[in-house]
Amino acid sequence: DAGITQSPRHKVTETGTPVTLRCHQTENHRYMYWYRQDPGHGLRLIHYSYGVKDTDKGEVSDGYSVSRSKTEDFLLTLESATSSQTSVYFCAISEKQNTEAFFGQGTRLTVV
Amino acid sequence: AQKVTQAQTEISVVEKEDVTLDCVYETRDTTYYLFWYKQPPSGELVFLIRRNSFDEQNEISGRYSWNFQKSTSSFNFTITASQVVDSAVYFCALPEITGRRALTFGSGTRLQVQP
């Protein structure tokens, strides 16, 4: 199994609070991604990174920011959590183009 | 923009039945890849297969087989003699060839295999 760890695995937070999710990989893969999974939508890309300090937006990036200061870590921050951000968040890594992406275990975030 | 459509939201079969999960895609790329992932009730995403657009031969792996039809933009997945352990949500996905290399996912098909 690919070495990807997401933390925390579960979190309940209040509306308006900042939240940071962490993705850590031990594979030295170049590409890292954050997706959210919601019923009826499959997985949708929030942000991605193609190298240290190189990040860009996906389709559903509003309300989220990311940082990648080291190859192995990709952080997702909800600046001010809203109920619409209640979701399951997956981190993924990919070595190069056209290779499969490997996913972390997911983080279930509930915003109340 | 790319698009992946999995029109079957949920399928229920009885153990040992064969079942086919449909996937239709749209892409402007002339060269592309297609993936299938499985998400069992435990929630993790498990990679199943990658196919490229150059190879339209059917792929078989045990009870799993995949039928890639470029002419109809479909990449269907068949499970033969289904088992309860096959119960999961299955996703078809299309990676971007350039730029961010991210995956475009279909909305998934939930397969329930009844004993």
Side-chain angles (χ1 to χ4, degrees):
Chain A
D1 290 345
I4 313 169
T5 304
Q6 289 184 231
S7 59
R9 294 292 313 280
H10 302 271
K11 186 169 182 67
V12 179
T13 192
E14 292 186 350
T15 299
T17 60
V19 177
T20 295
L21 308 183
R22 182 181 183 234
C23 177
H24 178 78
Q25 62 148 327
T26 58
E27 306 296 323
N28 202 35
H29 284 355
R30 178 181 178 187
Y31 298 94
M32 297 187 76
Y33 308 88
W34 278 107
Y35 291 87
R36 61 178 288 174
Q37 183 179 18
D38 304 289
H41 290 280
L43 282 85
R44 293 178 293 174
L45 182 68
I46 305 171
H47 279 281
Y48 67 101
S49 170
Y50 44 95
V52 174
K53 298 186 180 178
D54 289 325
T55 65
D56 209 341
K57 298 178 180 179
E59 285 86 14
V60 291
S61 60
D62 287 348
Y64 302 95
S65 63
V66 290
S67 67
R68 192 172 179 195
S69 58
K70 298 185 289 185
T71 299
E72 58 266 34
D73 289 325
F74 192 32
L75 304 181
L76 176 71
T77 298
L78 289 66
E79 304 291 345
S80 177
T82 67
S83 58
S84 64
Q85 292 176 312
T86 292
S87 187
V88 180
Y89 291 86
F90 284 96
C91 174
I93 63 173
S94 178
E95 185 175 11
K96 53 188 177 182
Q97 70 180 83
N98 304 322
T99 59
E100 58 270 28
F102 295 101
F103 286 80
Q105 319 97 305
T107 296
R108 183 173 295 278
L109 176 67
T110 303
V111 183
V112 297
Chain B
Q2 304 190 139
K3 186 177 180 181
V4 177
T5 302
Q6 295 180 257
Q8 304 152 307
T9 305
E10 188 161 346
I11 301 174
S12 183
V13 299
V14 177
E15 210 169 17
K16 298 184 183 177
E17 285 185 25
D18 299 346
V19 58
T20 296
L21 310 181
D22 298 332
C23 172
V24 174
Y25 61 90
E26 296 175 26
T27 180
R28 291 185 182 147
D29 293 323
T30 54
T31 301
Y32 50 90
Y33 288 75
L34 292 157
F35 297 164
W36 275 94
Y37 284 85
K38 174 182 180 180
Q39 187 176 41
S42 51
E44 74 272 22
L45 280 152
V46 179
F47 168 76
L48 293 178
I49 191 172
R50 175 185 67 165
R51 295 304 304 278
N52 71 58
S53 56
F54 287 109
D55 185 1
E56 290 196 60
Q57 286 191 349
N58 286 348
E59 177 94 11
I60 298 174
S61 176
R63 296 184 297 106
Y64 294 172
S65 63
W66 290 269
N67 180 262
F68 178 31
Q69 297 273 356
K70 204 169 179 178
S71 59
T72 56
S73 297
S74 65
F75 186 40
N76 297 336
F77 173 29
T78 296
I79 302 174
T80 302
S82 59
Q83 300 177 0
V84 173
V85 294
D86 296 325
S87 296
V89 181
Y90 291 87
F91 292 97
C92 182
L94 178 65
E96 297 172 8
I97 295 296
T98 59
R100 60 195 186 189
R101 320 274 194 243
L103 292 167
T104 300
F105 282 86
S107 54
T109 296
R110 180 178 300 277
L111 174 65
Q112 298 263 32
V113 181
Q114 309 289 346

